[in-house]
Amino acid sequence: MSFIVIIPARLASTRLPNKPLADLGGKPMVVRVAERAAASGAVRIIVATDHEDIRAACERHGVEVCMTRADHPSGTDRIAEVARTLQLPPQAVVVNLQGDEPLIDPALLAAAAAQISATVPMATCAHPLREAADVFNPNVVKVVLDKAGRALYFSRAAIPWHRDGFAQSTQALPDAYAPLRHIGLYAYSNAFLQAYPDLAVSPLESVEALEQLRVLWHGYPIAVHVTASAPAAGVDTPEDLARVRLHFAQ
């Protein structure tokens, strides 16, 4: 399936200032992310930003960039503006790749894009969890699926709750129980991407602080590609940055 990748990148970050421009083996992080996207088979890769320093860095390395407004409430709104600016057709498939994922598996981008159809306007990815600590960690977002592989619900809670197994212990996972961790990578049809900013915020989204719950609450299906193993973690903290820098140094 033909798809394009749009990478929202903002300079402001409370935990890691100037994160998109952090040096990774001689190139800014946002450029490294674009390079991973290029390996996915995408027909076009565009960085969406509101900051001139990011624009200049991308242009120095030959990465296409599109300037956006500074007041977008989310990355999804930002890439929707880019898709409008580019006048993409309604059926175009757009992958939203965060600008702090320099080690993302390119195959996940193509797998998410392949889930989009006339009846499924949005897709994402997940992988099985193997550690009890992750299942009960509210910073690890879980997802449960229906028989067609579409999301029933996303939560910071441990879902599905293994009633009998957890009655015995919550220190280890019961046999044959592998809940799914959501991977924050999204694909959309452009028609849905343009409709998204007009969807009202849902009560579930407000409670869980999970933007994707807005989509389910309004009745849109989200397909979920399940991969066998966890992808490399993104960069949120100085410790993450040190880990990724070591990877590029090697």
Side-chain angles (χ1 to χ4, degrees), residues 196-208:
Y196 175 87
D198 294 327
L199 297 178
V201 174
S202 76
L204 295 174
E205 173 188 2
S206 298
V207 169
E208 295 255 23

Side-chain angles (χ1 to χ4, degrees), residues 3-19:
F3 63 96
I4 75 167
V5 176
I6 303 180
I7 303 167
R10 296 178 64 248
L11 207 57
S13 173
T14 54
R15 286 185 290 183
L16 199 58
N18 301 327
K19 181 166 63 171

Side-chain angles (χ1 to χ4, degrees), residues 4-234:
I4 75 167
V5 176
I6 303 180
I7 303 167
R10 296 178 64 248
L11 207 57
S13 173
T14 54
R15 286 185 290 183
L16 199 58
N18 301 327
K19 181 166 63 171
L21 299 180
D23 183 87
L24 298 179
K27 295 180 182 179
M29 183 185 303
V30 69
V31 172
R32 292 296 190 184
V33 175
E35 290 175 342
R36 298 300 284 174
S40 70
V43 297
R44 193 174 182 182
I45 297 97
I46 304 150
V47 170
T49 187
D50 59 4
H51 203 283
E52 283 293 331
D53 288 352
I54 295 177
R55 179 196 60 77
C58 290
E59 290 182 348
R60 279 197 302 271
H61 292 275
V63 175
E64 185 177 1
V65 63
C66 183
M67 298 299 292
T68 69
R69 301 195 332 255
D71 60 347
H72 286 301
S74 73
T76 309
D77 296 273
R78 191 175 304 279
I79 70 168
E81 180 190 345
V82 173
R84 286 193 302 275
T85 299
L86 299 177
Q87 297 184 321
L88 298 181
Q91 70 274 17
V93 176
V94 177
V95 173
N96 179 358
L97 174 60
Q98 297 304 307
D100 57 5
E101 296 281 354
L103 301 180
I104 191 72
D105 180 0
L108 288 178
L109 280 67
Q115 303 295 314
I116 302 300
S117 69
T119 57
V120 179
M122 182 172 170
T124 189
C125 299
H127 70 86
L129 286 170
R130 309 295 183 188
E131 301 294 333
D134 290 330
V135 174
F136 295 105
N137 183 349
N139 295 316
V140 175
V141 177
K142 278 70 67 174
V143 59
V144 290
L145 311 182
D146 67 12
K147 67 177 182 179
R150 297 176 183 177
L152 288 169
Y153 191 64
F154 297 85
S155 183
R156 298 182 182 278
I159 57 171
W161 182 263
H162 199 297
R163 187 195 66 172
D164 295 339
F166 291 155
Q168 300 297 318
S169 172
T170 57
Q171 302 305 306
L173 298 185
D175 292 340
Y177 171 74
L180 295 175
R181 178 180 190 167
H182 176 231
I183 300 170
L185 169 73
Y186 298 100
Y188 319 84
S189 70
N190 186 40
F192 176 74
L193 184 58
Q194 298 309 315
Y196 175 87
D198 294 327
L199 297 178
V201 174
S202 76
L204 295 174
E205 173 188 2
S206 298
V207 169
E208 295 255 23
L210 296 175
E211 183 183 323
Q212 62 271 33
L213 290 175
R214 183 185 316 181
V215 178
L216 296 182
W217 192 79
H218 284 279
Y220 294 95
I222 302 176
V224 181
H225 168 77
V226 178
T227 184
S229 57

